[in-house]
Amino acid sequence: MKVLIVGGVAGGAGAATRMRRLSEDVEIILFEKGQYISYANCGLPYYLGGTITDRERLIVTKESLLRDRFHVDVRTMQEVIAIDSLGKKVTIKDHSSGNVYDETYDKLLLSPGARPKVFDIPGVNMSGIFTLRSLEDTFCIDDYIRAHTPKRAVIVGGGFIGVEMAENLSKRGMDVVLVEFSDQVLAFLDKEIVYPIHKHFRENGIKLALNTAVKSFARDKQEADTISVTLSNHTKIDAGLVLMCTGVVPESDLASKAGLALGIGGSIHIDNTYRTSDPNIFAVGDAVSVTSTVSGKQVLIPLAGPANKQGREVAEYILSSKEQPASALLVQGSSVVKVFDQIAAATGLSEKQLISNDIPYKKTLIHPSSHATYYPGAMPMSMKMLFSPEGNILGAQAVGYEGVEKRIDVIATVLRLGGTVFDLEKLELCYAPPVSSAKDPVNMLGFTAANLLKGDVVFFYPQEVDELCRQHAYILDVSTPDERDLGTIAQSVSIPLDELRGRLSEIPKDRKIYVFCRVGLRGYIAARILMQNGFDALNLAGGYTTYNSMSKEEQALKNDEEKLRTLTASENIMTSINDIASQAFSDSPTKTIEINACGMACPGPIMQVAAGMKAMSAGERLSVSATDPAFASDIEVWCERTGNTLISIQRDKGTFHVMLQKGVASETANMQDGPDMRNAGNDKTMVVFSGDLDKAIASFIIANGAAAMGRKVTMFFTFWGLNILRRSNYVPVKKNLVEKMFGFMMPRGSKKLGLSRMNMGGLGGLMIRSIMKKKNVQSLEELMKAAIESGVRVLACQMSMDVMGIKGEELIEGVELAGVATFLGAAEKSDTNLFI
Ligand code: FAD
């Protein structure tokens, strides 16, 4: 038998090797119009980002291996340009020699893949605008970047490739704007899961232009490097490189010209045995449609997993007359994508797809941790599962930092085997604290879904909350007051879970009670207490965390728009910064000081920056490296507040490299020491009343942060707070009996303080100190020293000292004794006064 294969990558190469393993007799000729076969399409973005550095590594199977080991006649640079299905032959154009020739076949396999969809946008064909499909595309883009060193890339389209390229071009040092027509990236995810990705993109400096289309591309001069990109909101962005990632369409022109039937979306129509409308011609991969295991409908799922499996499976159908339905044509769409430090994964259908397919469903949302929370390094995860009213799993998706795809893979397996949420409850999965939890997140999804189906809990969802608020529904927050301080649903009533049983009389029995906590677990417990006490209670699925993430998106979108609007302006500013800076320093190159704050936790890096800047003169630059994830957003705010200039932020494998310039560049020419941001009116004051270790740490972290931002900070220590300031060694001073007793009973200095909660006879304090040390957070003593050194005024309340019998000599150095008037004087000039 003679088999010809069109397309030498995932489906084609896989089919060739499998056929050879099944038969030594078959003659196999593989045509590939490009230069390379069997390469790693999925790795291309990572080559462009610099993670994969060796071009050779992108070749999965070498042409010679296919020839020598598998005895396949590989013909690269040879494009099949016509099929004569009656004469059972194809016409080939050899791009190396220009020759055109025919080749006959007994069976023909088409695996031509899918090509990038490019919309007819004015200017889209100009140089500097690329699509990414093949190795050739990749090397072209790479060469262009090397030759032109573009500062900014505009990526059009927020699908898999767009999202991966946004990360990778940013890693390559470019400022990236991601333009997406819809209101979210990664259409296969629902909002609850994709919003954390939007946030993570923003944190990593990617500018999102959602709900936005590209109207045109233009270039002032033909040879100029800058492409002016006009968006549908009339914003114009200058880019050095544009990447069109607007989806793919099945490569079916060859099949269509041969008269083969086409299916949905222009795909090559096949039956469930890979046969096209001509029984001697088979097709696999991105060029064909598949059947959704969930909806039963024909869908296009252009992914490597299905294409590879189909390539393997089709070999049997070609070599024998197999008629059983092919299993690799049933696809559930399991997929995963990495976005900087986050991973998002999904299987089955999303909520949007279920709605558009009219499939009834129920849903659950949880926020588990990647492993047991008592073992260091547990990372949060958001998970959503969709299931039928009978419990059949219809889809699941998750986003987080670790262990995300593992959980989705387990659910994908259960889904594939036709399992239910009740099966998830029963799954016995591997567990050890560093990697998992005794009740794995997959089990937890099963529990919550089963609870819902059994009627143990009734959910309400984040999307309903605003309407409930408008209707003045009774919304009950069972979080602790401290958690509530960090944010809550407006109009909610607060009864912490542990007080609930004793305060049931405060809750109305004639209304629905909408309960929520942070992530949904305590809300569930509260709802159970209420339900068993005769209340009609519902629990917020995903808790405040999901609601908060959803409600913040609206504001974030506005900020995105604002950022884009100022982008062009800021470019002009950047030019003037550079002009002025180059004028000001034309004779002497700009002095750059380097700080390595890697490994330090917040506010360590910011404090380092503040200290570094203090010693610098206007116009000098500071290059900072830091690994703290919050540093990117902190430094932006810090610069804004302190009147310094953020020149650039780059991220490389979890390390931020930031370049700053002292002062606002336009002022640098005239400034000697940079601006004085210590304006009266935005000072910060604090009353530190508590003598608890955790509260003391928090107060000094805030104080150091504010001082680092150039604010005047005054801390007023009174009553128990005075103990923080006591020296740890015994200081012989004259005291009466009561004062001596008081002094003996109170902690002597910062090292003796206990935690406000979970102190466990001092063990809690020791634990927190050890965790802080491991995480590179400064100790309380270091924070105190840094605060005093950076000019924070530490006032000890004289009146409290008298009452408690504490003498001035007992206090650490740098503390001022003061009365309330001193504090109030400072408070009047402050815009923030905290009572801790
Ligand atoms: P392809 O692998 O595209 O191979 C088709 C080949 O046929 C091409 O090389 C083409 O040149 C050749 N050809 C076409 N017409 C002719 C002709 N007339 N004559 C001769 N040769 C012809 N999927 C995932 O699951 N995970 C990922 O992370 C992922 N990342 C990706 C990243 C990028 C940048 C790209 C482009 C794709 C990615 N994919 C990913 C998709 C995955 O690569 C495809 O689903 C898979 O390669 C499809 O296999 P295929 O054989 O159908 O087509």
Side-chain angles (χ1 to χ4, degrees), residues 8 12-14 16-17 20 28 30 37-38 61-74:
T17 51
R20 176 58 70 232
I28 307 168
L30 185 144
I37 58 149
S38 192
T61 309
K62 287 208 169 77
E63 212 177 305
S64 55
L65 186 122
L66 224 61
R67 272 204 194 101
D68 302 341
R69 188 176 297 172
F70 291 96
H71 193 217
V72 174
D73 182 354
V74 179

Side-chain angles (χ1 to χ4, degrees), residues 490-502:
Q491 301 181 17
S492 60
V493 177
S494 164
I495 304 181
L497 175 62
D498 294 337
E499 296 174 20
L500 187 61
R501 282 195 183 83

Side-chain angles (χ1 to χ4, degrees), residues 6-7 9-11 32-33 41-42 80 111-113 133 161 285-286 302-304 307:
V6 181
V9 189
E32 169 53 56
K33 68 177 174 187
N41 326 43
C42 312
V80 176
S111 185
R133 176 190 181 181
I161 298 178
D286 288 359
L303 289 174

